[in-house]
Structure formats: structure tokens, C-alpha cells
Amino acid sequence: MAVRIRLKRMGRKKSPFYRIVVADARTARDGKAIAELGYYDPRKEPADIKLNLEEAKRWMSNGAQPSDTVRNILKKQGAIQ
């Protein structure tokens, strides 16, 4: 099972809000998630990010691959180099 750390879109139309989740790579973007790691709100200035870094590191050590956007968020938070 290929596991990805990616964004799950929430919120109203034209007002996106994202949850950072661990999900099977084959599930839909807004489908069932294995675990929730935090959230990301790009509409605020600066962007509002809350992330459980220990859980993210644990999932990556177990083989979960972050998406490009989540990889950038993790770099900003200091979880990866």
C-alpha cells in the first residue's frame, strides 16, 4: 500500500482550507484518510499552519511520501532538510 502525506480540501466554495492527512495514494483527494496531522490555511497572511511534527516524521520514517506542497510546508516547519 503506497501511503502519501497530502492535503485534503475543506471549506466553502472559493474559500479553501486544507487538512494535512496521511492517505492511501489511490484514494480520492477528499476521500478517507488514515490519520490527520494538522491543517493549512493559505488565505491568512502569513499562512496559518498547525502540524504535528513528531507524527509527520514517524509516518515518513515508515515510508510515507509527502506531496510537493506538503514537502514545502514540512521544510518551512523544520521537519525535513
Side-chain angles (χ1 to χ4, degrees):
M1 177 165 80
V3 178
R4 302 274 300 182
I5 302 174
R6 63 185 185 191
L7 298 176
K8 179 178 181 177
R9 190 180 194 280
M10 308 290 287
R12 297 188 314 254
K13 184 167 96 173
K14 307 271 187 185
S15 180
F17 176 87
Y18 299 95
R19 289 189 182 158
I20 302 170
V21 298
V22 177
D24 186 358
R26 297 170 291 186
T27 60
R29 177 192 70 184
D30 300 334
K32 186 177 178 184
I34 298 170
E36 262 186 47
L37 303 180
Y39 64 83
Y40 168 59
D41 188 358
R43 299 198 56 175
K44 294 185 178 172
E45 190 59 44
D48 188 18
I49 301 170
K50 179 179 178 258
L51 180 63
N52 187 340
L53 294 176
E54 292 79 30
E55 284 291 310
K57 288 178 183 178
R58 186 177 67 83
W59 276 103
M60 286 191 295
S61 69
N62 287 336
Q65 296 294 314
S67 67
D68 294 336
T69 306
V70 172
R71 182 175 289 118
N72 291 334
I73 292 171
L74 290 171
K75 284 181 184 177
K76 288 180 185 176
Q77 296 294 312
I80 58 177
Q81 307 303 338

